[in-house]
Structure formats: C-alpha cells, structure tokens
Amino acid sequence: MADAGVSTRQLAVHIGVTGKTIERWLADAELTPHARNRDDASRALGVDEEMIWPQVVKDRIKSGHDRELVHSYPYRSACPSTVWSDLISDATTDLFFAGYTNYFLWTQVPAFPDMLRRKVASGCRVRFLLGNPDGDVTRQRESIEDVALTVSTRIRITLEHLDRLGPLKGLETRFSAPEDAINHVSLSVFRFDADALVTPHLARLVGHDSPLLHLHKRGDGGMFDRFSEHGEELWNGAAPKRS
C-alpha cells in the first residue's frame, strides 16, 4: 500500500468495503477476503494476488494460466449484477457484448443505457454482436429452448433498446454470419478491457441457467486470450446491422 501510495480509506473505496474491513485484513493474515475483493485489491495496488495473500493462492494450487480464473458461477444468474456494473464502469477502452441476444443486460444491469452513453462519450469502444433474429440458427434454438420469450424476441428487444440510444459514435452493432451463428449461440463472451465473463451454453438450457466464468488477463495465450480470439473471429465475419 505504501509503495502504491494508497491509503486504507482509498483502498476501501476502490474495493467497496469499509476501512475497518481493510484494517482487519491487515491485522489478521488468516482472514480470507472474497475472490472479487482480492482481485480488486491486487489491481488497485498493481501487484499479483499472491503478493498479498500467498496462502490463498497456494491453497487453490493455481499456476500458469489457471491464475486467470477469478471466479466461477454454476449459473449466469448467480453472478451478482454488481459484478457486471463494476466491470463496465472500470473499462476504459473496450466493451464487447457478444451474447447471442444480450437481452438480460437491459433488465439486470442497473442504469445500463446511461452507462453505455457515458462510456461512449469517454472514448470507450462499445460493440454488440447479436444473432440474426430471422436466421435459421435462431429458429432452431427457439425450438430447442421452447420458452415463451423466444430468442428472436429477445434479440429484437435488444435492438429496440439500442435504437433508443440513438446514433452514438463509438457504438457498433453487428449480426453474426450465418456460418458462425451456431458457434455464437453456443458460447457468449462479454469483454471489459482485460476482464471477461464467459458463458458456455449447455444443451437445452437458456443463458441464465448455464455456467459463467470470470477471467482476468494475466499474460498472453491464456484463457482470456482464447475466448477473446473466439469473439473477435465472430465479429470480423459479422455483418453490420442496417438501420
């Protein structure tokens, strides 16, 4: 903390805990903060997590690219909305939403439209990659899921929300190519600079019932890069949404 020029109060504000919580961590090395608190503290201080909590890292037996896994959730819906909000707020250069419908963002992330406007205004690139609501894969997925709020309806709701934002320089929307749609619908990648939330869709389950991984880039060629490359490949082959 001294090397980083960060006070107890400043660190507490950055992590979202009280100053007394930080003081307890400093006084008792056996205390184990939540994984997200540890990651936030590491980034605030500009050091790797093992420099602060070596016993935790040792217990997890993580090495190499395993260190990029910040947290895992058995269901996407189990990931707190604050995680999404914090990652969006902290991003400064690139926000990439490559879910097939992205519908849940508008209902689960507080003040999502306002956050997007602020990010675009600050110079952050914001991208939405969607499935084609009229595509064959979309119709097939609707048959598989067999739920009232269909895949095509969820995509169109997202498009309506994006249209309400108006033309914003720095915000781009594309539909995945027909030949890539099956790869898109089976894996959602959401990137926030050096962080990513990834959802591999299981069998007949809708997105919120599938697992989610929170990744943070620690080096080249790791899990973060592999999933990022998948999203970029889909984006590069996608067609821009026409007004």
Side-chain angles (χ1 to χ4, degrees), residues 5-16:
V6 176
S7 68
T8 299
R9 180 180 176 281
Q10 290 170 329
L11 185 59
V13 169
H14 186 90
I15 299 175

Side-chain angles (χ1 to χ4, degrees), residues 9-159:
R9 180 180 176 281
Q10 290 170 329
L11 185 59
V13 169
H14 186 90
I15 299 175
V17 298
T18 66
K20 289 189 177 298
T21 297
I22 300 292
E23 291 171 1
R24 285 198 298 271
W25 293 348
L26 293 171
D28 188 350
E30 297 302 317
L31 285 178
T32 303
H34 187 277
R36 174 152 185 80
N37 293 149
R38 298 196 304 268
D39 186 64
D40 286 344
S42 300
R43 281 192 276 175
L45 299 175
V47 297
D48 288 338
E49 186 177 331
E50 58 263 34
M51 289 187 66
I52 312 175
W53 290 283
Q55 77 283 3
V56 175
V57 177
K58 182 179 179 181
D59 291 343
R60 290 187 312 195
I61 319 178
K62 284 190 176 183
S63 61
H65 299 309
D66 288 347
R67 295 166 56 243
E68 295 196 330
L69 180 60
V70 176
H71 199 73
S72 62
Y73 302 88
Y75 305 93
R76 190 191 70 199
S77 56
C79 179
S81 61
T82 52
V83 172
W84 293 88
S85 297
D86 289 347
L87 290 175
I88 294 169
S89 296
D90 291 344
T92 59
T93 60
D94 190 20
L95 287 172
F96 186 23
F97 303 99
Y100 198 77
T101 73
N102 292 303
Y103 162 78
F104 72 97
L105 293 165
W106 308 93
T107 60
Q108 295 183 21
V109 179
F112 186 54
D114 291 336
M115 294 178 74
L116 293 180
R117 289 191 181 95
R118 288 196 299 270
K119 287 298 160 182
V120 171
S122 69
C124 184
R125 185 186 187 190
V126 179
R127 294 180 289 167
F128 282 84
L129 179 64
L130 300 166
N132 189 328
D134 299 314
D136 291 339
V137 169
T138 298
R139 286 191 286 271
Q140 293 168 8
R141 188 65 195 178
E142 288 180 340
S143 177
I144 291 171
E145 290 186 359
D146 190 25
V147 295
L149 192 61
T150 64
V151 177
S152 58
T153 298
R154 301 199 302 267
I155 295 172
R156 289 191 171 94
I157 290 174
T158 292
L159 291 171

Side-chain angles (χ1 to χ4, degrees), residues 75-77 141 145 154 199-201 205-211:
Y75 305 93
R76 190 191 70 199
S77 56
R141 188 65 195 178
E145 290 186 359
R154 301 199 302 267
T199 298
H201 295 268
L205 299 179
V206 294
H208 64 259
D209 282 335
S210 293

Side-chain angles (χ1 to χ4, degrees), residues 158-236:
T158 292
L159 291 171
E160 290 174 3
H161 282 294
L162 289 171
D163 286 342
R164 290 192 195 114
L165 289 173
L168 296 176
K169 186 177 181 180
L171 190 152
E172 308 164 71
T173 304
R174 294 183 184 181
F175 291 137
S176 54
E179 62 271 22
D180 289 331
I182 191 64
N183 298 321
H184 185 192
V185 77
S186 61
L187 177 66
S188 295
V189 178
F190 307 92
R191 197 170 74 234
F192 320 83
D193 290 351
D195 283 88
L197 296 175
V198 178
T199 298
H201 295 268
L202 302 182
R204 299 178 181 275
L205 299 179
V206 294
H208 64 259
D209 282 335
S210 293
L212 180 142
L213 306 176
H214 179 184
L215 306 174
H216 179 70
K217 183 179 175 70
R218 301 287 186 183
D220 294 333
M223 292 176 64
F224 175 91
D225 280 352
R226 297 296 306 279
F227 285 115
S228 292
E229 289 163 5
H230 169 83
E232 291 299 336
E233 183 176 349
L234 295 179
W235 178 261
N236 290 335

